[in-house]
């Protein structure tokens, strides 16, 4: 939180739930919900977001994170060819997704490779 500067109400604050750098494990539901609560203590009301692969999502219970109201940024690439493969398979592990990262090899305005994502308004289907 000490590195969060110029936060404005409504800005997206997302937690990247991946094994990165020198980490040895993926954060679990308790870790994620604790982080969201600590952020809330510092910034007040906000909508938490978390980014996670659908395989990691399906392998655990996320009831505390769901209860926090966190919006899901689901990563699953299918063929990873830059084409949209259809909605992510959440396997019943989360009520819905807000953003789907579906490729890491996309191209936008001549820039490639680049991650491609599809975002949806709350309550909207693909």
């Amino acid at each position: 939180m000490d590195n969060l500067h110029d936060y404005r109400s409504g800005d997206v604050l997302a937690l990247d739930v991946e094994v990165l750098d020198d980490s040895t494990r993926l954060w679990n539901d308790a870790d994620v919900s604790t982080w969201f609560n600590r952020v809330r203590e510092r910034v007040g009301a906000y909508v938490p977001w978390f980014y996670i692969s659908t395989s990691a999502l399906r392998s655990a219970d996320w009831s505390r994170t769901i209860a926090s109201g966190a919006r899901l940024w689901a990563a699953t690439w299918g063929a990873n060819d830059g084409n949209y493969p259809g909605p992510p398979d959440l396997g019943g592990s989360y009520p819905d997704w807000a953003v789907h990262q579906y490729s890491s090899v996309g191209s936008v305005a001549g820039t490639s490779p680049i991650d491609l994502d599809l975002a949806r308004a709350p309550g909207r289907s693909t």
Side-chain angles (χ1 to χ4, degrees):
M1 288 303 303
D2 292 338
N3 295 310
L4 180 63
H5 301 283
D6 199 28
Y7 171 75
R8 295 180 184 115
S9 181
D11 287 351
V12 171
L13 295 177
L15 177 63
D16 187 351
V17 182
E18 297 180 83
V19 176
L20 298 171
D21 304 323
D22 62 350
S23 298
T24 58
R25 71 174 183 88
L26 187 73
W27 276 21
N28 62 30
D29 185 40
D31 299 324
V32 171
S33 61
T34 297
W35 188 85
F36 288 152
N37 289 332
R38 287 188 181 155
V39 171
R40 188 169 282 121
E41 288 170 4
R42 293 284 295 269
V43 301
Y46 81 107
V47 176
W49 288 69
F50 80 118
Y51 172 92
I52 190 169
S53 73
T54 56
S55 60
L57 182 80
R58 291 189 307 262
S59 71
D61 172 70
W62 297 96
S63 55
R64 289 175 162 183
T65 302
I66 291 168
S68 77
R71 298 192 70 202
L72 174 62
W73 189 339
T76 185
W77 297 340
N80 199 23
D81 60 6
N83 294 306
Y84 188 67
D89 176 10
L90 307 183
S93 296
Y94 215 79
D96 202 3
W97 57 275
V99 176
H100 177 198
Q101 183 181 83
Y102 63 89
S103 182
S104 66
V105 297
S107 177
V108 176
T111 301
S112 65
I114 193 167
D115 292 343
L116 296 177
D117 299 85
L118 175 68
R120 300 183 313 169
R124 300 290 304 259
S125 60
T126 304

